[in-house]
Amino acid sequence: MGKYDFDKLYDRRGTSCLKWDFGMERMGRDDLLPMWVADMDFKLPDEIVEDIVKRAAQGIYGYTDPKQDYYDAVSGWFERRHGFAVDKDWITITHSVVYAIVLAIRAFTDPGDAVIIQQPVYYPFGESVRVNGRNLVNNQLIYKDGRYEIDFDDFENKIVSENVKLFLLCNPQNPAGRVWGRDDLIRLADICKRHGVYVFADEIHSDFVYSSFAHTSYMTLGKEYQDKLILGTSPSKTFNMAGLQVANIIIPNKEVREKFRYENMITGYSQVNSIGLEACKSVYTKGDQWVDELIEYLEGNLSYVRDFLKEKLPQVKLVEPEGTYLIWLDFSQVTDDHKELEKLIVDGARLWLDAGIIFGKETSLFERVNIACPRSIVKQAMEQLYEAIGNADSKR
Ligand SMILES: Cc1ncc(COP(=O)(O)O)c(C=O)c1O
């Protein structure tokens, strides 16, 4: 028995919770089980909640900046968990990783310049490139034998032919579930270095890695790969505190950092969220055991889904994840029409998932499912899925 209870159900409705309170606004109905947005239904440990409450109870919420203890907490986490220390000067705090991606696009590319991504990938990558008037280039991941791989030749060819200036890397990869290994990362990094491409390495899911895998941070590839690196990190996924708006963007190179900070400054953003700062310090000093137990629990959820599908819904294929709590299901043996798939999921199974089409047209027959919730919810979701498609013929 662990110290923390991840089975406990909390009613999040009525808290303006994006996941649970917006069914009517976003889906036109409120009877769907929400497993879409990357937001977990677990409560943080009491010792962390107490730190946040203590700060809030002071009742004064003026301008706040980080002190040395904040930087020590952040560096300590990355040193203990990911094998690198972070120099205080390298950190720029922003309110989110997506905001930092936008800053990087604006700081290191000009309108019309090319930015490369690897779909299927977290959809704000592509959106951020497009809405900022840059040229979106896709190095599609190859889906083969139920697993995603990188097409390195296509990656380098497109970097050259499109004159790519910036690469948005997602590691661990959402939603493909890959935790890129050192060899793959070095190959990508060598290509980027050869062609002078900036790299934004989004490692927001780096704490969610299943037991037979290990996360390799871009920061650990070697100093020679740090000259054009922007590392996106945040406690917001690991500790489910996106609502507290704090992300640590780590940039070792001084010139790159200054350009990034200039872009941040001209948006008018300055001091950080006072509660977010306190929470980040607390989770990064007191949260280790909770995360260790959480990963074990998620592994249990994953096994449940794996066994359920194998036994009762073999036509739905689980893309075996190496990391992240977002699982990627292949429904191509159920239907070949993504609109019909959506109907099966929403009207049939009464589930609110992220449809594969939003991650690129190649994955329109996939669905992304968030399993970071008590097991009883995962079980309910699987039962509802079974009721909707369990007895249906394949490829109707
Ligand atoms: C890869 C990736 N990056 C960034 C984010 C969002 O981070 P933030 O809320 O800090 O913008 C998510 C959220 O799911 C994500 O999956």
Side-chain angles (χ1 to χ4, degrees):
M1 253 307 260
K3 182 172 168 193
Y4 302 107
D5 179 6
F6 296 98
D7 278 328
K8 192 163 174 183
L9 289 167
Y10 296 94
D11 185 3
R12 300 179 65 190
R13 290 186 199 267
T15 61
S16 300
C17 168
L18 185 61
K19 186 175 183 179
W20 288 90
D21 278 329
F22 285 84
M24 281 314 288
E25 286 89 338
R26 293 189 168 226
M27 300 295 281
R29 53 197 286 176
D30 62 4
D31 62 336
L32 305 178
L33 195 60
M35 302 177 87
W36 59 290
V37 62
D39 181 313
M40 308 194 286
D41 294 318
F42 306 121
K43 195 172 161 207
L44 283 173
D46 290 345
E47 53 274 30
I48 289 169
V49 177
E50 277 159 21
D51 284 345
I52 296 168
V53 169
K54 190 170 159 212
R55 176 66 189 84
Q58 190 206 24
I60 304 173
Y61 313 112
Y63 294 117
T64 314
D65 257 347
K67 297 287 277 184
Q68 188 60 44
D69 57 352
Y70 177 86
Y71 294 109
D72 291 344
V74 174
S75 185
W77 181 264
F78 287 99
E79 211 169 347
R80 286 195 308 283
R81 315 276 311 186
H82 299 296
F84 63 93
V86 187
D87 193 300
K88 168 177 184 282
D89 295 336
W90 296 359
I91 300 176
T92 304
I93 304 174
T94 67
H95 65 262
S96 85
V97 169
V98 170
Y99 170 80
I101 288 173
V102 169
L103 291 184
I105 291 169
R106 297 176 73 91
F108 307 115
T109 70
D110 289 318
D113 279 349
V115 180
I116 196 163
I117 65 171
Q118 298 176 309
Q119 286 181 321
V121 72
Y122 181 55
Y123 42 88
F125 277 31
E127 268 167 27
S128 302
V129 174
R130 267 191 235 104
V131 297
N132 280 288
R134 271 61 171 177
N135 172 22
L136 181 66
V137 175
N138 177 29
N139 166 232
Q140 185 74 25
L141 295 176
I142 302 168
Y143 182 51
K144 200 168 157 238
D145 302 327
R147 180 182 160 89
Y148 282 92
E149 300 281 357
I150 296 168
D151 183 343
F152 291 97
D153 289 340
D154 180 71
F155 183 71
E156 184 158 20
N157 289 340
K158 282 182 174 153
I159 283 181
V160 174
S161 67
E162 302 283 341
N163 194 16
V164 166
K165 295 285 173 23
L166 172 67
F167 168 37
L168 304 179
L169 168 70
C170 193
N171 183 34
Q173 227 277 0
N174 160 22
R178 288 297 314 272
V179 175
W180 303 116
R182 185 167 297 274
D183 290 352
D184 282 342
L185 291 170
I186 292 278
R187 279 181 80 180
L188 290 172
D190 277 331
I191 294 170
C192 289
K193 195 166 183 302
R194 202 152 48 237
H195 301 289
V197 174
Y198 285 89
V199 178
F200 189 106
D202 180 340
E203 298 189 0
I204 199 167
H205 293 281
S206 60
D207 293 310
F208 298 103
V209 171
Y210 295 116
S211 46
S212 20
F213 302 93
H215 174 69
T216 305
S217 175
Y218 208 98
M219 195 60 87
T220 65
L221 299 183
K223 276 207 169 356
E224 64 274 34
Y225 299 111
Q226 293 178 0
D227 286 348
K228 291 193 166 187
L229 171 64
I230 305 103
L231 188 76
T233 79
S234 170
S236 70
K237 291 294 130 198
T238 310
F239 295 98
N240 208 50
M241 42 179 271
L244 293 178
Q245 308 254 295
V246 59
N248 296 294
I249 312 305
I250 302 170
I251 307 176
N253 181 286
K254 188 163 180 281
E255 256 174 68
V256 174
R257 197 163 61 232
E258 280 172 2
K259 265 188 145 174
F260 180 85
R261 285 182 179 169
Y262 175 76
E263 208 57 51
N264 190 27
M265 185 271 289
I266 63 174
T267 68
Y269 181 85
S270 59
Q271 268 71 31
V272 295
N273 180 310
S274 56
I275 307 284
L277 214 58
E278 197 60 38
C280 179
K281 208 166 59 183
S282 181
V283 294
Y284 277 166
T285 43
K286 300 179 179 172
D288 289 72
Q289 189 181 341
W290 188 79
V291 174
D292 293 341
E293 289 187 23
L294 169 63
I295 306 293
E296 248 181 72
Y297 189 82
L298 293 173
E299 219 147 17
N301 281 358
L302 178 60
S303 299
Y304 179 84
V305 171
R306 185 189 298 118
D307 294 346
F308 187 96
L309 295 179
K310 214 165 155 189
E311 195 186 315
K312 296 181 98 172
L313 282 174
Q315 65 274 51
V316 179
K317 299 285 174 215
L318 167 72
V319 177
E320 195 57 53
E322 299 170 350
T324 85
Y325 56 72
L326 304 159
I327 59 169
W328 192 229
L329 300 180
D330 176 353
F331 287 83
S332 59
Q333 288 180 30
V334 174
T335 174
D336 49 19
D337 176 354
H338 77 88
K339 290 203 175 113
E340 185 181 328
L341 173 60
E342 214 35 37
K343 241 172 115 45
L344 279 172
I345 298 296
V346 176
D347 297 336
R350 285 168 290 112
L351 294 176
W352 183 0
L353 309 179
D354 264 351
I357 187 109
I358 62 181
F359 299 89
K361 61 180 183 324
E362 291 82 354
T363 50
S364 63
L365 301 178
F366 288 75
E367 295 281 337
R368 194 188 77 170
V369 188
N370 174 352
I371 58 163
C373 53
R375 194 148 313 144
S376 56
I377 295 183
V378 174
K379 287 183 181 174
Q380 190 186 334
M382 287 298 114
E383 291 299 338
Q384 290 180 198
L385 197 59
Y386 178 69
E387 276 168 35
I389 62 175
N391 299 316
D393 294 336
S394 292
K395 289 251 164 114
R396 294 180 301 163

XYZ file of all heavy atoms in Angstrom, residues 4 45 48 76-77 80-81 239 282-295:
194
model
N -0.360 7.341 -0.741
C -1.406 8.189 -1.338
C -2.519 7.352 -1.971
O -2.270 6.282 -2.515
C -0.780 9.117 -2.380
C 0.311 9.977 -1.777
C 1.650 9.726 -2.055
C -0.008 10.993 -0.881
C 2.656 10.494 -1.474
C 0.979 11.761 -0.302
C 2.312 11.513 -0.596
O 3.287 12.268 -0.014
N -0.757 15.992 -2.479
C -0.594 15.612 -1.075
C -0.891 16.773 -0.120
O -0.635 17.937 -0.459
C 0.881 15.238 -0.966
C 1.401 15.126 -2.334
C 0.469 15.820 -3.268
N 1.636 19.566 0.502
C 1.780 20.576 -0.561
C 0.586 21.542 -0.522
O 0.762 22.766 -0.609
C 1.926 19.872 -1.934
C 3.305 19.193 -1.999
C 1.746 20.870 -3.083
C 3.520 18.255 -3.157
N 16.993 21.298 -8.094
C 17.020 20.047 -7.327
C 16.176 18.968 -7.997
O 16.586 17.808 -8.104
N 15.009 19.345 -8.456
C 14.118 18.380 -9.111
C 14.793 17.781 -10.359
O 14.843 16.563 -10.538
C 12.807 19.064 -9.499
C 11.831 18.135 -10.158
C 11.636 17.963 -11.508
C 10.930 17.220 -9.515
N 10.666 17.018 -11.739
C 10.220 16.537 -10.535
C 10.655 16.920 -8.178
C 9.251 15.572 -10.259
C 9.686 15.951 -7.903
C 9.000 15.287 -8.929
N 17.783 15.544 -9.384
C 17.386 14.244 -8.828
C 16.698 13.355 -9.848
O 16.943 12.177 -9.925
C 16.380 14.435 -7.670
C 16.940 14.934 -6.383
C 15.954 14.732 -5.233
N 14.608 15.245 -5.431
C 14.243 16.528 -5.351
N 15.168 17.458 -5.106
N 12.989 16.903 -5.505
N 15.807 13.940 -10.623
C 14.928 13.120 -11.464
C 15.446 12.945 -12.888
O 15.086 11.967 -13.553
C 13.515 13.730 -11.548
C 12.928 14.199 -10.243
C 12.261 13.201 -9.396
N 11.294 12.330 -9.973
C 10.567 11.468 -9.232
N 10.711 11.418 -7.911
N 9.722 10.656 -9.804
N 2.140 17.705 -11.712
C 1.385 17.929 -10.471
C -0.008 18.522 -10.731
O -0.659 19.016 -9.816
C 2.195 18.829 -9.531
C 3.472 18.165 -9.060
C 4.681 18.440 -9.681
C 3.455 17.231 -8.031
C 5.858 17.808 -9.275
C 4.617 16.591 -7.619
C 5.820 16.886 -8.237
N 7.030 24.095 -3.689
C 6.583 23.029 -2.802
C 6.586 21.664 -3.512
O 7.113 20.679 -2.993
C 5.177 23.363 -2.277
O 4.739 22.359 -1.410
N 6.024 21.594 -4.711
C 5.960 20.283 -5.389
C 7.352 19.771 -5.732
O 7.624 18.572 -5.630
C 5.075 20.302 -6.671
C 3.623 20.551 -6.321
C 5.573 21.294 -7.716
N 8.235 20.688 -6.118
C 9.577 20.240 -6.516
C 10.466 19.883 -5.313
O 11.534 19.322 -5.488
C 10.259 21.295 -7.395
C 9.858 21.234 -8.868
C 10.154 22.289 -9.745
C 9.205 20.123 -9.408
C 9.809 22.232 -11.102
C 8.845 20.069 -10.751
C 9.151 21.119 -11.593
O 8.809 21.060 -12.945
N 10.009 20.228 -4.102
C 10.797 19.784 -2.942
C 10.110 18.634 -2.199
O 10.779 17.792 -1.613
C 11.055 20.937 -1.928
O 9.858 21.670 -1.760
C 12.130 21.866 -2.403
N 8.771 18.577 -2.276
C 8.062 17.575 -1.465
C 7.305 16.535 -2.292
O 6.616 15.694 -1.724
C 7.056 18.291 -0.548
C 7.718 19.279 0.391
C 6.705 19.991 1.261
C 7.394 20.972 2.208
N 6.437 21.812 2.920
N 7.407 16.607 -3.619
C 6.506 15.788 -4.442
C 7.051 14.470 -4.967
O 6.326 13.758 -5.671
N 8.286 14.115 -4.623
C 8.896 12.928 -5.253
C 8.089 11.644 -5.053
O 7.798 10.913 -6.005
C 10.325 12.701 -4.735
C 11.288 13.761 -5.254
O 11.209 14.920 -4.791
O 12.101 13.429 -6.137
N 7.748 11.382 -3.799
C 7.081 10.109 -3.522
C 5.701 10.050 -4.183
O 5.285 9.007 -4.717
C 6.949 9.891 -2.008
C 6.454 8.479 -1.700
C 6.276 8.204 -0.219
O 6.827 8.915 0.624
N 5.507 7.188 0.099
N 5.021 11.171 -4.175
C 3.695 11.219 -4.800
C 3.800 10.869 -6.285
O 3.014 10.073 -6.800
C 3.098 12.619 -4.613
C 1.675 12.750 -5.045
C 0.561 12.354 -4.365
C 1.199 13.329 -6.279
N -0.581 12.658 -5.088
C -0.211 13.247 -6.261
C 1.831 13.909 -7.381
C -1.017 13.728 -7.310
C 1.043 14.380 -8.431
C -0.365 14.292 -8.390
N 4.807 11.425 -6.952
C 4.968 11.142 -8.388
C 5.322 9.670 -8.603
O 4.781 9.011 -9.497
C 6.034 12.065 -9.027
C 6.308 11.667 -10.479
C 5.588 13.513 -8.975
N 6.196 9.128 -7.757
C 6.561 7.711 -7.906
C 5.327 6.821 -7.775
O 5.119 5.902 -8.566
C 7.592 7.300 -6.842
C 8.933 7.993 -7.058
O 9.177 8.473 -8.191
O 9.727 8.078 -6.098
N 4.492 7.130 -6.794
C 3.289 6.316 -6.596
C 2.273 6.548 -7.722
O 1.568 5.628 -8.144
C 2.657 6.617 -5.232
C 3.504 6.079 -4.098
C 2.816 6.221 -2.739
O 1.574 6.320 -2.685
O 3.551 6.246 -1.725
N 2.231 7.779 -8.192
C 1.316 8.115 -9.284
C 1.655 7.290 -10.536
O 0.759 6.739 -11.190
C 1.421 9.623 -9.573
C 0.754 10.157 -10.835
C -0.758 9.961 -10.789
C 1.065 11.643 -11.020
N 2.932 7.216 -10.867
C 3.338 6.464 -12.070
C 2.915 4.995 -11.926
O 2.409 4.384 -12.860
C 4.877 6.526 -12.297
C 5.391 7.959 -12.326
C 5.295 5.754 -13.557
C 4.952 8.798 -13.460
